[in-house]
Amino acid sequence: MKTLKPLLILLFTLPTIICSQKRDTIELSEDWKFKKGTIINAHLKDFNDSRWETVTVPHDWAIYGPFDKEIDKQSVAIVQNGEQVPTEKTGRTGALPYIGEAWYRKEFLIPDLKETQKTLIVFEGAMSQPQVFINGRKAGSWNYGYSYFYFDISDYIVEGKNTLAVHISNKGESSRWYPGAGLYRNVSIITKNKTSFNQWGTFITTPFISENNAKVKIKSKVSGNNLKLRTKIIDNEGNEVANESSSSLFGNEFEINLAVLNPRLWSPETPYLYTAISELYSNGELKDKISTRFGIRSIKYEAEKGFSLNGKITKFKGVCLHHDLGPLGTAVNKAALRRQLKILKDMGANAIRSSHNMPSLEQLELCDEMGFMFLAESFDEWAKPKVKNGYNRFFKEDAEKDIINLVHATRNHPSIVMWSSGNEVPDQWGTEGVKRAKWLQDIFHREDPTRPVTVGMDQVKATMESGFGAVLDIPGLNYRVHLYEEAYDKFPQGIILGSETASTVSSRGVYKFPVKKASMKQYEDYQSSSYDLEYCSWSNLPDDDFALQDDKDWVIGEFVWTGFDYLGEPTPYDEMWPSRSSYFGINDLAGLPKDRFYLYRSRWNKENETLHILPHWNWEGREGKTTPVFVYTNYDSAELFLNGKSLGVQKKNHSTPQNRYRLMWMDVKYEPGVLKVIAFNKAGEPIAEKEIKTAGAPDQIVLDADRTTIKADGKDLSFVTVSVVDKDGNPCPTATNQLNFKVKGAGAYRAACNGDPTSLELFHQPTMKLFSGKLVVIVQSTHESGPIELKVTGKKLKSGKIALNSTSSEN
C-alpha cells in the first residue's frame, strides 16, 4: 500500500493593510522620471532629470516597442522541445526592446522625522537587478526580477524632501519568454515606529476546524520591549467574533490563539474572508496596528484518494499563467487581472499556477476574493542554465533568500495550496539535482510547514531513476501522459499532479484543412488551426488529460498550458518571423476566447450550459468541400442541421479521447446558409439549440464593454470588444478591416490588441486591424469623474460608439 503523510493545512491571510496613525504607507506611483541608457551620476540627489520622461509606476518600458526580429535573437537548441541542434529564434522573448539599462528617479517627502521612527522601502518586482539609491547613497540591490524585497532606509532619509533613484539592467538571453522591463510592480514607502510588527512577520493558521469551532493561531514577529498584543477577529459582515490578548513573547514572536465559532470556510465556491486586527502596545502605549483579512480552510493530500479541500475531494481545474497582460505588458494592473479571472471563472477553472515565477500580490488578493486555488512557483532555473544569462547566475547565492521572501510575503493567502520550487529544471538529472530539490523543499517546509512542494518535471524517466521525483511532496508531471501509470507505480507518493498539460496550439478563428491530428504543424500564414487537434512534439491534446483525470483518482488535476496567450515563445513558429507571441492560450492575447475555451468549459463549468459550434460558416470557395463541424457541449448528444437538413445525431463515446469529449461531424460538405445544432438531455429530449449563419459584407462596427463604469483613480480599465457585423447583424468572422479609435471625456485610450500572434502593429497606437473579425480596445480612467466616449471608425463601415462612465466611488 502506498503511503503519503497527510498534510492538513489550515491557513490563510491576505496581505497586511495599514489602518493605524502609528504607521503610514505611501505608494510611489505617479511623477517618476525615467530614461533608458547608461547615465553617469544619475543616482545623485541633485542630478538634473528635468528633461527625462515622466511615467507612472508600475511601468514596462519595452511594451511600447517597436517589434524587431533582431532584439534578443537567440541561436539555441530548446532542450525542453527535444531540439538537438541550435537554430535562430527571432520571437522567443517577444521581439520587444527589454534589453539594456535604465534609470528611474522619484522624490518623496518625510514631513516629520523622529528618532523612534523606522522607514522601509518595498519593491514588489523590478526587472531586473535593481540597485536602489536614497539621497545619493546606495541602500541595497537585488538580483531576481520576480522577487519581492525591501530595505530599511532609516539611516538614508532626511526630514523633508528625499530622492530615490533606481538603476535597472536587463541582459539579453536572460529569459525564455517576454520578461518585461522596469519597475513593473508597485513601490512603496512604509514609515512606522521602531517598536512595531516586522515586515511580513505575521503568519495565521488554523490547526483545528470543526463544524462548530475553528482555532485560529496567529504568530507575529515584532520589534521592541515591554510589549503586549491585542487581537480581534471581525467577520465579513463587520461583527466581532473573537478577541484575545497576550504579553508572552517567545524570542521576538507572539503566538496568540482565538476561537471562531461556527466558522464559514473558504473555497472557490464560497471565498469567505475574515479580518484579524492586531494592536501592539509598549508600556501601555499603542505603537503599531495592522489589519489582515484571512480565510479558514483545510487541505489534505492523500495517497490513492487525491486532494481534499475542507474534507471534500477536489480536482485541480487549473491553468498556467505568465505574468504579462498582453497589450499592457508586464506592468501589473488589478482591473486587467480581475478580467482574466472572470473569464477563467466562467470557463469553470478553480486554480492558477504562476508560471514560472512569483505572482503579483494583486493576483493573489483577487484569487482570495474571487475563489481560485493557487500554485505559487519560484524559479524556472536552478544551478544549470536554460538560457545563458538566466537565474542560474544567482541560484547558489540567492535562492534561499528569494524563497524566504516569496513565502513570507504570500503565505497568508488562503488561495495558495501548494508551492513549486522549479519548472523543467535541467537539474533533474543526477544526484546533484536530487540534493537541490530536497534543499529547496526543506526551505519551504521550514518557512511554511503547512503546504506541500512540487516541481514541474518534464524528464520523468530521469527523475524515476535518480530519486528526484521521490523526494518531492507532490510529483508534478509536465505532459508525458504516456508515463503517468509508470510514474504512479514508481513514485512513493500515490498521487500525480498534471503540473503542466496540453500545450495544444491554435489561432482564434483560424481553421485549416484537412482536419486531422498533427504535431508541430506549420502553415504559410504562421497560424495554427482552431479545430484544436494540433499540439507540440512534447505534448498532447486536452482530451488525453481529461480521460486520465476522470478515470484515475490518483491524478489530482491539471494546470493547462496556458490560460491566455502571452508574449514570446511562439511555438511551433519559434524560427519564423514575424511570429512573436504564443499559440498555447485557451484565450488569445486580447483575452478573447478561442474555440478551446468552450471545450474546457463544457467539462469544467457544471453550473451553466455550454453549446458551441465550430468552425465559422463563411467559406467562399469551399462550396462542396469537406468542412468538418465540431460541437463543444456539456450535453452527451446533439443533432446537426445545415439549411434545415439533418446531418445526423452524434453521441459522445469512449472509442477515442476526442469522441469522449467532443461531438464531431467529419463529413460535412460546405454550403452557405445556416448551421444549427440541437442538443439532447439524457432522456433524448431536445433541451438547447444554437445556430450560426454565413455573413454578408462587413457593414457596421459593434462595441461591447466588460464594464461600463470604472473608478476615477487613473488606473482602472474598461475592455471593449470590437467586432464587425453585416447589414443583418450577423458577425463577420473573417473581417480584417483597419480600425481607428478615439476616446473623449474623463478617460484615455490605453491600448488595443487583436490576438494575432504575427501582428507587428504597436499596442499603444490608436489603430489596428481586426483579426478573425474582432479586437479589443482598452480605455483607462483619469483622476476625473465623468462620462467617457469611445468611438471606433473604419473605411466603408458604420462607426461604433459606446458610453462609459468614470466615478470616484467604488464600483
Side-chain angles (χ1 to χ4, degrees), residues 174-425:
S174 60
S175 182
R176 299 191 298 121
W177 55 85
Y178 176 66
L183 297 179
Y184 70 103
R185 291 179 181 168
N186 291 319
V187 182
S188 57
I189 299 287
I190 297 174
T191 57
K192 59 178 184 173
N193 288 309
K194 290 181 179 178
T195 298
S196 58
F197 294 100
N198 291 2
Q199 180 71 5
W200 304 331
T202 298
F203 188 18
I204 299 183
T205 60
T206 54
F208 174 81
I209 296 176
S210 70
E211 183 178 347
N212 301 319
N213 189 17
K215 178 182 179 182
V216 178
K217 178 187 288 186
I218 305 178
K219 291 185 176 183
S220 301
K221 290 187 176 180
V222 296
S223 299
N225 299 305
N226 302 316
L227 301 176
K228 182 176 182 177
L229 177 66
R230 292 179 180 173
T231 298
K232 61 182 178 181
I233 294 177
I234 308 298
D235 68 15
N236 198 44
E237 289 72 43
N239 305 305
E240 183 176 320
V241 296
N243 68 79
E244 189 61 76
S245 299
S246 176
S247 299
S248 301
L249 267 178
F250 301 90
N252 69 332
E253 185 174 74
F254 281 106
E255 181 178 307
I256 197 166
N257 293 283
L258 304 96
V260 175
L261 302 179
N262 305 312
R264 296 183 63 177
L265 304 187
W266 184 95
S267 72
E269 296 75 26
T270 58
Y272 192 89
L273 298 168
Y274 293 87
T275 303
I277 300 174
S278 298
E279 297 176 332
L280 185 66
Y281 293 82
S282 176
N283 296 318
E285 180 183 354
L286 178 64
K287 293 294 185 180
D288 201 6
K289 182 177 180 180
I290 59 174
S291 177
T292 307
R293 286 188 305 166
F294 71 97
I296 300 171
R297 59 103 175 105
S298 68
I299 64 176
K300 185 188 292 186
Y301 296 82
E302 297 177 280
E304 320 303 335
K305 294 181 181 179
F307 167 73
S308 297
L309 176 66
N310 300 327
K312 180 182 177 182
I313 296 293
T314 302
K315 297 267 189 177
F316 291 109
K317 300 182 291 185
V319 300
C320 299
L321 291 180
H322 267 313
H323 68 304
D324 82 64
L325 295 168
L328 301 177
T330 61
V332 70
N333 182 281
K334 203 164 186 176
L337 289 166
R338 184 183 289 110
R339 174 185 179 244
Q340 282 192 340
L341 293 178
K342 283 183 177 179
I343 292 168
L344 295 174
K345 199 78 171 179
D346 179 59
M347 190 175 70
N350 66 6
I352 307 293
R353 174 190 179 214
S354 61
S355 310
H356 304 290
N357 45 261
M358 301 171 181
S360 69
L361 301 184
E362 290 87 348
Q363 187 179 43
L364 292 174
E365 291 169 12
L366 288 169
C367 286
D368 291 338
E369 295 168 7
M370 298 174 68
F372 284 88
M373 296 178 289
F374 208 93
L375 170 51
E377 196 153 80
S378 51
F379 309 122
D380 187 51
E381 282 185 1
W382 293 351
K384 294 185 178 181
K386 294 181 184 178
V387 288
K388 182 175 67 174
N389 293 315
Y391 188 73
N392 65 87
R393 295 179 294 153
F394 313 123
F395 176 79
K396 291 180 181 179
E397 177 185 350
D398 290 357
E400 182 169 7
K401 70 178 185 179
D402 283 331
I403 288 175
I404 289 172
N405 280 14
L406 166 64
V407 174
H408 287 192
T410 69
R411 62 187 170 183
N412 292 326
H413 288 273
S415 53
I416 297 179
V417 296
M418 195 187 314
W419 305 109
S420 169
S421 62
N423 170 71
E424 297 182 0
V425 292

Side-chain angles (χ1 to χ4, degrees), residues 64-125:
Y64 300 99
F67 294 102
D68 186 340
K69 68 178 292 187
E70 298 302 319
I71 294 174
D72 204 20
K73 185 166 62 176
Q74 300 181 13
S75 181
V76 293
I78 303 177
V79 176
Q80 291 76 29
N81 298 8
E83 296 179 0
Q84 303 292 326
V85 179
T87 56
E88 183 179 282
K89 310 294 194 297
T90 53
R92 195 180 190 200
T93 53
L96 288 164
Y98 78 93
I99 298 167
E101 296 180 63
W103 283 89
Y104 291 84
R105 288 172 55 87
K106 168 73 178 169
E107 290 184 349
F108 63 94
L109 291 176
I110 302 293
D112 186 16
L113 189 61
K114 299 182 177 68
E115 289 185 7
T116 57
Q117 181 175 298
K118 177 182 285 189
T119 302
L120 307 179
I121 186 165
V122 182
F123 292 81
E124 295 176 17

